[in-house]
Amino acid sequence: MADTSSTDSGPHAPNVDKVLVEMETAPAGKFPYGIDTEGKAKYCPVWRFTQPHMVAFHLSWVAFFISFIATFAPASLLPVIRDDLNLTKSELGNAGVAAVCGAIAARIGMGVFVDVVGPRYGTAATMLVTAPAVFCMSLVTDYSTFAVTRFFIGCSLCMFVCCQFWCGTMFNVRIVGTANAIAAGWGNMGGGACHFIMPLIYQGIMNGGTPGYQAWRWSFFVPGGLYILTSLATLLYGIDHPSGKDYRDLKKEGTLKTKGAMWPVLKCGLGNYRSWIFFLTYGYCFGVELTVDNIIVEYMFDQFGLSLSVAGALGAIFGLMNLFTRASGGMISDYVAKYWGMRGRIWALWIIQTLGGVFCIVLGLVSNSLSSTIVVMIIFSIFCQQACGLHFGVVPFVSRRAYGVVSGLVGAGGNTGAAVTQAIWFAGTAQWQLNLPKNEGLVWMGVQTIALTLPLVFIWFPMWGSMFTGPKEGAQEEDYYMKEWSAEEVAQGLHQGAMRFAIESKSQRGLKERKAMGLEEDVPAVKVASVSA
């Protein structure tokens, strides 16, 4: 195996090898879950709060969870808000589209931000910047202010990029799918939890003697306050990097080399066709999930004549399934990769997302039965949310240099899919949409999901292959990730982190090929020939 250690010398040489050596020889009590050659955790013990890996894990999902609560809190109280503001069906639909549109550009921008500044400041800045919009929901008076406020609150869903980037920085490639999926899944639970929590807060405020038209406004101070508290906790306790330091300090020391100019990073992420395929397909798992989060309470309320609290509780089931569903998707991705490598990850993604589309169709067909709707909704949520987790079992391998940009672009695809789907089937702006029942919209959304998952067959990695074709003969992981760097950047040593990742990612070959190559079951270690001071 080629030596990938640093060969720089001099007083300002990077000391990343020294950091990694120190981490790998650290006392077992400090890192009880073990770390790899990049300093990343080899396991994800969710019950621990060890710095820096597990604290970052918990801060990332909690922040994402709260952003979901705030974004979909208006949907939780929609029957009350629409009566108070006299909103029409088309206005409700357009406001729902606005809520998910806000994060499209924000997620791409956040991908660039975390690549340069780091996920800790990205998380805190997002919450502090969007908290005023959450508080302003209490001041809306008509459709325009309601839609604009939902748009700006929805921008906070770019927290997803911080969450996935942070976990991708902290966990080894063999478990990155599981870690990403657990963190994002627990964050996504906020979309269901808000349908349960917000009606209770509203009811509690009303029980205290506040009129209903004021009670729903006061209820938004709860998620707004949580934004402030979470951002402060992130700044106080969060750490960007497995070395135990943030990006700013590492760059000052020379331990973490800059990735160069920003345009090459953007070009690297946006110029990779795999990013755009995942942009499309993620729009029909996470985008479908966002759509359901937006419409489910109103659907239950109107379709079955339920009270707001009961409709909210039943609608919450869909989002709360993320407690294990998205995580299980990541686990499935990591499990199949042990035997079939990257090709197994892509096959599993296609199968499960297609099943999600099938059960979305069935959900729309059983609209005359509340019990059948609940059962099918649960099955549908499992496949839909597992597909989200499966996506981010693959996305970390698309690009190493532009990991944040790719994550942001794919995440934006989820919001774009939600905006397009809601605009087509649920906005009610055209005459034919006004006469389209929501259950029929669900059927057509399922058809879209099945059709737009097919492009996964075009995902091909030269060293791993695709769903139907094998790898290119002689292709190596190092060659794939090296192409992201120019000769000048290589001469500066900017590619070293990517080469470590390339060696770790050899685990994405199938079991038979790994055995034929003589690769051990454990991720191969990087040989450190010299330690730079």
Side-chain angles (χ1 to χ4, degrees):
M1 184 177 298
D3 181 6
T4 60
S5 62
S6 171
T7 57
D8 294 343
S9 60
H12 302 293
N15 59 353
V16 67
D17 289 339
K18 180 179 179 180
V19 172
L20 294 177
V21 168
E22 290 175 349
M23 293 184 74
E24 288 211 304
T25 57
K30 184 177 181 180
F31 300 113
Y33 32 75
I35 59 172
D36 67 10
T37 58
E38 293 186 285
K40 298 179 179 180
K42 293 182 178 180
Y43 307 100
C44 184
V46 297
W47 57 91
R48 293 187 181 276
F49 292 85
T50 311
Q51 283 280 26
H53 308 89
M54 298 313 301
V55 170
F57 169 84
H58 289 295
L59 286 173
S60 66
W61 79 258
V62 168
F64 191 33
F65 177 90
I66 295 171
S67 72
F68 254 90
I69 288 181
T71 299
F72 294 102
S76 304
L77 302 176
L78 209 54
V80 177
I81 296 174
R82 73 182 178 188
D83 291 341
D84 186 27
L85 302 181
N86 296 314
L87 302 177
T88 65
K89 179 180 178 180
S90 62
E91 289 173 339
L92 291 173
N94 288 333
V97 172
V100 295
C101 280
I104 295 175
R107 285 189 169 192
I108 297 175
M110 184 55 67
V112 178
F113 189 89
V114 295
D115 269 329
V116 177
V117 181
R120 172 171 165 253
Y121 286 115
T123 299
T126 299
M127 306 204 89
L128 289 174
V129 168
T130 56
V134 182
F135 289 117
C136 283
M137 182 57 75
S138 63
L139 303 176
V140 300
T141 57
D142 54 20
Y143 161 68
S144 59
T145 54
F146 179 65
V148 169
T149 305
R150 289 209 69 182
F151 175 87
F152 283 109
I153 295 175
C155 290
S156 66
L157 288 182
C158 70
M159 197 73 69
F160 170 78
V161 180
C162 303
C163 173
Q164 298 297 271
F165 187 94
W166 214 347
C167 288
T169 300
M170 291 293 178
F171 295 94
N172 174 264
V173 295
R174 285 181 181 262
I175 61 149
V176 68
T178 299
N180 274 341
I182 294 174
W186 287 5
N188 284 2
M189 278 197 306
C194 72
H195 294 325
F196 178 74
I197 294 171
M198 293 305 293
L200 289 179
I201 295 173
Y202 164 73
Q203 191 64 49
I205 295 173
M206 271 212 313
N207 290 343
T210 303
Y213 69 92
Q214 291 181 352
W216 72 263
R217 298 173 184 275
W218 281 108
S219 65
F220 281 91
F221 280 79
V222 175
L226 290 175
Y227 266 37
I228 303 297
L229 293 175
T230 305
S231 64
L232 294 176
T234 301
L235 291 173
L236 288 172
Y237 301 109
I239 294 175
D240 280 316
H241 194 267
S243 65
K245 300 178 181 179
D246 64 28
Y247 272 36
R248 181 179 56 184
D249 292 337
L250 290 171
K251 287 179 179 179
K252 286 181 179 178
E253 295 174 2
T255 300
L256 183 66
K257 288 193 171 185
T258 179
K259 297 185 179 184
M262 184 47 58
W263 169 242
V265 177
L266 278 170
K267 183 179 178 181
C268 181
L270 300 181
N272 192 315
Y273 82 94
R274 301 167 189 84
S275 304
W276 292 101
I277 292 180
F278 287 126
F279 172 90
L280 173 64
T281 58
Y282 195 62
Y284 287 89
C285 56
F286 186 63
V288 167
E289 182 178 350
L290 291 178
T291 300
V292 175
D293 283 336
N294 250 336
I295 69 170
I296 191 64
V297 174
E298 187 185 15
Y299 176 66
M300 291 286 190
F301 184 87
D302 294 335
Q303 185 73 17
F304 302 106
L306 305 174
S307 67
L308 178 60
S309 58
V310 174
L314 292 178
I317 294 174
F318 181 84
L320 290 175
M321 292 294 290
N322 272 297
L323 177 64
F324 67 90
T325 50
R326 182 157 183 157
S328 65
M331 292 174 186
I332 291 171
S333 184
D334 288 341
Y335 178 78
V336 298
K338 290 182 180 179
Y339 300 96
W340 300 285
M342 181 58 67
R343 298 178 69 183
R345 289 185 188 269
I346 300 173
W347 266 106
L349 171 56
W350 176 78
I351 292 170
I352 288 178
Q353 183 153 316
T354 299
L355 288 172
V358 170
F359 279 95
C360 185
I361 294 172
V362 176
L363 180 63
L365 296 176
V366 297
S367 58
N368 292 327
S369 170
L370 177 59
S371 57
S372 297
T373 294
I374 294 172
V375 171
V376 175
M377 181 182 69
I378 291 173
I379 299 173
F380 164 48
S381 70
I382 291 172
F383 290 120
C384 176
Q385 294 158 6
Q386 281 182 338
C388 296
L390 282 152
H391 265 86
F392 278 83
V394 182
V395 167
F397 299 96
V398 172
S399 170
R400 199 57 202 163
R401 180 177 191 179
Y403 176 38
V405 173
V406 175
S407 296
L409 180 63
V410 176
N415 289 76
T416 303
V420 171
T421 302
Q422 289 180 67
I424 295 175
W425 307 118
F426 303 104
T429 52
Q431 185 61 42
W432 67 272
Q433 291 175 326
L434 291 173
N435 299 323
L436 182 71
K438 280 190 171 61
N439 64 297
E440 290 186 22
L442 290 169
V443 170
W444 286 111
M445 183 167 66
V447 172
Q448 269 190 309
T449 299
I450 295 171
L452 296 177
T453 301
L454 292 175
L456 286 172
V457 301
F458 298 110
I459 295 292
W460 179 75
F461 291 94
M463 60 288 195
W464 299 321
S466 67
M467 288 173 63
F468 293 104
T469 61
K472 180 180 178 181
E473 185 176 355
Q476 296 294 321
E477 288 78 0
E478 293 89 340
D479 297 332
Y480 176 81
Y481 293 110
M482 181 69 80
K483 290 180 180 178
E484 299 182 330
W485 305 90
S486 68
E488 292 79 9
E489 290 168 331
V490 170
Q492 297 174 41
L494 301 181
H495 68 301
Q496 293 175 7
M499 291 303 97
R500 289 189 178 86
F501 181 84
I503 293 174
E504 297 285 350
S505 67
K506 289 184 183 293
S507 61
Q508 300 311 299
R509 296 173 181 255
L511 180 60
K512 290 183 179 180
E513 187 178 0
R514 293 203 308 271
K515 288 184 177 180
M517 294 175 63
L519 295 177
E520 298 179 354
E521 186 62 24
D522 289 335
V523 178
V526 176
K527 179 182 177 182
V528 180
S530 63
V531 177
S532 301

